[in-house]
Amino acid sequence: MSLPQAKIPFGPDDYLVWEQDQPGRNEFVDGEVFAMSGASDAHGTAAGNLFASLHANSRGTPCKPFIADMKVHVEAANAFFYPDILVTCDARDRAPEASHVKRHPLLIVEVLSPTTEAYDRGNKFAAYRTLASLQEYVLVSLEQRRIEVFRRDATGHWVLYPFALDEALELASVDFRCPVAEIFEGVEGE
């Protein structure tokens, strides 16, 4: 997320109409619009690697992963975000009216960057936690070469499951396992 644009006096429906005509992606948070900056090579590579594995894992299931260009509506936060990856298995997200905005993801992934890390861990995660459907929130650290999975337990609490480079990532929400090293394959710098 980058610096906010000028305060635009419109609500969520107006934002959706306005955003369709914009050349880039813009997130909306309670009346403010934030232009999304481009991703680094490392960011795109890690997100692409994880997306490809999740896509292969979802074949033959009602689940569908999306990468970068799909919006998530977080109604309780009056916000629309573009997560790096989201997975939804909810039939309501397959309806024609959900072709540009998903409302029921069970998995959201954010690849961290120095400019977004605090927001992704803080206010954005707080907003995502209001989604009743969300079961796991994943943070991919390019700098640390590790993955943190926050998983909602049976009591509604969020529990951290960290995964190091030499371990296998486990995402219970979509019955997925893969070596963490595969997510960082081809990732240089950052």
Side-chain angles (χ1 to χ4, degrees), residues 37-74:
S37 61
S40 69
D41 180 296
H43 185 284
T45 300
N49 289 346
L50 182 52
F51 172 78
S53 294
L54 286 167
H55 185 267
N57 187 70
S58 67
R59 287 192 177 104
T61 75
C63 299
K64 187 170 183 179
F66 295 90
I67 189 167
D69 289 330
M70 181 57 68
K71 287 184 280 291
V72 170
H73 182 207
V74 182

Side-chain angles (χ1 to χ4, degrees), residues 12 50 72 84 87 101 104 144 146 149 166 169 171:
L50 182 52
V72 170
D84 289 313
V87 179
V101 179
H104 310 283
Q144 302 294 323
R146 69 173 179 223
V149 176
D166 61 348
L169 171 64
L171 300 174

Side-chain angles (χ1 to χ4, degrees), residues 3-92:
L3 297 175
Q5 294 182 0
K7 183 99 169 172
I8 298 173
F10 57 43
D13 293 335
D14 300 313
Y15 156 76
L16 290 173
V17 171
W18 172 84
E19 215 245 347
Q20 286 179 1
D21 296 328
Q22 300 309 304
R25 298 175 303 141
N26 300 278
E27 293 190 336
F28 174 89
V29 181
D30 203 21
E32 287 189 85
V33 175
F34 297 85
M36 303 296 294
S37 61
S40 69
D41 180 296
H43 185 284
T45 300
N49 289 346
L50 182 52
F51 172 78
S53 294
L54 286 167
H55 185 267
N57 187 70
S58 67
R59 287 192 177 104
T61 75
C63 299
K64 187 170 183 179
F66 295 90
I67 189 167
D69 289 330
M70 181 57 68
K71 287 184 280 291
V72 170
H73 182 207
V74 182
E75 189 172 359
N78 191 26
F80 291 86
F81 298 113
Y82 281 97
D84 289 313
I85 300 171
L86 74 91
V87 179
T88 179
C89 304
D90 193 297
R92 294 171 290 184

